Amino acid sequence: MDQAEFKRQFVRSELRVDDSYGRVHSYIEFGNVTYWFADDRQDADRNPIPEDKKLAISLEGLKNFAGIIGEDARFYYGFPAGGDTSFLVKTKHVFGKSRVLTKEIRYVRHYLTDAEVSINTRESFTDTKGTYVRIAKCNFDVEIAVDAVRNMDKYDTFCLFSSD
């Protein structure tokens, strides 16, 4: 047994992912995954994280982890209009062009109550209806559901990486 197979067996054993799960396909809604560790103040070894630093998710590590628990992974990501595309290029390199699905982020107006105005930390705007903030939205719920149904003959277990 080589080191990669040993690692695969160890991780699957730790997570209790055995052969009863059959073929596992992962669907990663990265816009939600990026928030998983936003408030963490310690790293995996319980070392404090400096106030000006945050944990980041390694795309290669995420792809490798998905590969350990399953056979296929799809990556869904919303990008800002006119934004830097280097992240998308990297995701396509890591996950494969046909496994990365993207769409433009849309912004929803959230009108603030009087109580919210006093504690708001976001850039605010005002129109005839009141004061609002723009909230980025890029839901992939429908796309993931459609892809999951289209591919259901290819997997036995569906693994969703999201915060929904």
Side-chain angles (χ1 to χ4, degrees):
M1 172 184 320
D2 66 5
Q3 184 178 8
E5 180 57 26
F6 178 75
K7 179 179 180 179
R8 182 178 191 278
Q9 286 184 8
F10 177 78
V11 171
R12 288 176 64 95
S13 172
E14 288 292 303
L15 296 174
R16 296 186 179 99
V17 176
D18 58 27
D19 292 338
S20 69
Y21 287 90
R23 299 165 299 166
V24 178
H25 283 203
S26 298
Y27 293 74
I28 303 165
E29 189 174 5
F30 195 72
N32 289 336
V33 170
T34 58
Y35 297 111
W36 285 357
F37 307 106
D39 296 328
D40 285 7
R41 300 311 323 144
Q42 296 178 351
D43 66 17
D45 296 321
R46 300 202 185 276
N47 297 315
I49 299 170
E51 285 301 316
D52 62 334
K53 304 288 182 195
K54 290 189 176 209
L55 291 177
I57 296 172
S58 159
L59 291 175
E60 293 86 356
L62 182 59
K63 171 70 165 94
N64 289 339
F65 179 75
I68 286 172
I69 64 169
E71 293 76 29
D72 190 24
R74 291 172 177 258
F75 188 95
Y76 300 80
Y77 182 70
F79 62 93
D84 182 6
T85 59
S86 61
F87 181 75
L88 295 177
V89 170
K90 183 172 182 174
T91 60
K92 289 178 181 182
H93 174 75
V94 171
F95 283 87
K97 289 180 182 178
S98 66
R99 294 291 178 256
V100 175
L101 297 103
T102 63
K103 65 181 178 181
E104 188 177 311
I105 294 172
R106 302 287 182 207
Y107 293 90
V108 177
R109 290 182 182 190
H110 170 75
Y111 286 91
L112 303 173
T113 65
D114 290 339
E116 289 174 322
V117 168
S118 65
I119 60 170
N120 176 48
T121 58
R122 297 180 184 208
E123 181 181 9
S124 60
F125 306 89
T126 304
D127 65 12
T128 57
K129 293 181 182 178
T131 302
Y132 65 91
V133 293
R134 294 176 3 147
I135 299 174
K137 297 299 270 180
C138 197
N139 295 335
F140 279 98
D141 301 354
V142 172
E143 290 85 349
I144 291 172
V146 169
D147 286 349
V149 169
R150 283 184 179 154
N151 292 301
M152 58 192 300
D153 62 327
K154 298 176 184 170
Y155 65 84
D156 303 301
T157 301
F158 173 94
C159 180
L160 178 62
F161 290 69
S162 185
S163 63
D164 289 351

